[in-house]
Amino acid sequence: MATERTLSIIKPDATKRNLTGKIVAKFEDAGLRVIASKRIHLTAAQAGEFYAEHKERGFYGELVAYMASEPVVVQVLEGEGAIAKNREVMGATDPAQADAGTIRKEFALSKAENSVHGSDSPASAAREIAFFFSGLELVG
Ligand code: GDP
């Protein structure tokens, strides 16, 4: 399997509860390497642009407000099959459906406040990495 890069976001519910280190440990234990990382506080406009593909969904306004409510940690993770591997480590969107040992099973508060975001395809990963980072900031 090829080495890939994917975009991860440690979401407001998790940064607020001081879970950044515990979540990064899950990525590293799964063989994913953090090759870029920064803590930022998104504006509602930035969060809205990032999640533009969800504009038509009923929860879009809530999602944007939540993502702009507290700081987030945005990271690029690199590894073999990193996009799918990160989604595995994250677990299902709804923590009630997530497998044991996943980040969302252990830490998520609800389907909305679910602690992490991860790119879902190579095209999304490319767009999302470029949304937050310049090439100079990716240090593999
Ligand atoms: P993901 O790829 O597993 O993050 O899931 P989706 O792409 O389906 O949804 C994107 C994000 O929108 C989720 O991670 C949640 O934070 C949020 N979300 C999903 N469903 C709901 C919902 O029913 N209500 C609210 N408020 N947010 C939701």
Side-chain angles (χ1 to χ4, degrees), residues 11 51 53-54 57-63 66-67 87 90-94 104 110-120:
K11 291 180 173 181
Y51 277 116
E53 66 178 303
H54 294 311
R57 294 172 86 173
F59 57 79
Y60 177 72
E62 262 178 47
L63 174 61
Y66 157 62
M67 290 300 290
R87 300 281 303 183
M90 288 164 58
T93 308
D94 182 347
R104 284 168 165 170
S110 65
K111 191 176 178 187
E113 297 187 87
N114 60 3
S115 302
V116 279
H117 165 86
S119 308
D120 64 3

Side-chain angles (χ1 to χ4, degrees), residues 3-83:
T3 298
E4 290 177 338
R5 290 175 172 179
T6 191
L7 191 278
S8 163
I9 306 178
I10 301 176
K11 291 180 173 181
D13 70 273
T15 61
K16 189 176 184 178
R17 289 177 292 146
N18 217 20
L19 294 171
T20 299
K22 288 197 170 97
I23 289 174
V24 172
K26 293 270 195 194
F27 298 144
E28 293 183 340
D29 287 350
L32 294 165
R33 178 175 292 273
V34 178
I35 64 159
S37 183
K38 60 189 169 192
R39 183 176 171 99
I40 57 177
H41 195 147
L42 291 168
T43 63
Q46 290 166 336
E49 189 186 342
F50 181 78
Y51 277 116
E53 66 178 303
H54 294 311
K55 224 168 198 159
E56 305 309 323
R57 294 172 86 173
F59 57 79
Y60 177 72
E62 262 178 47
L63 174 61
V64 168
Y66 157 62
M67 290 300 290
S69 67
E70 296 277 340
V72 296
V73 175
V74 293
Q75 300 186 309
V76 179
L77 307 178
E78 184 178 82
E80 291 273 301
I83 296 166

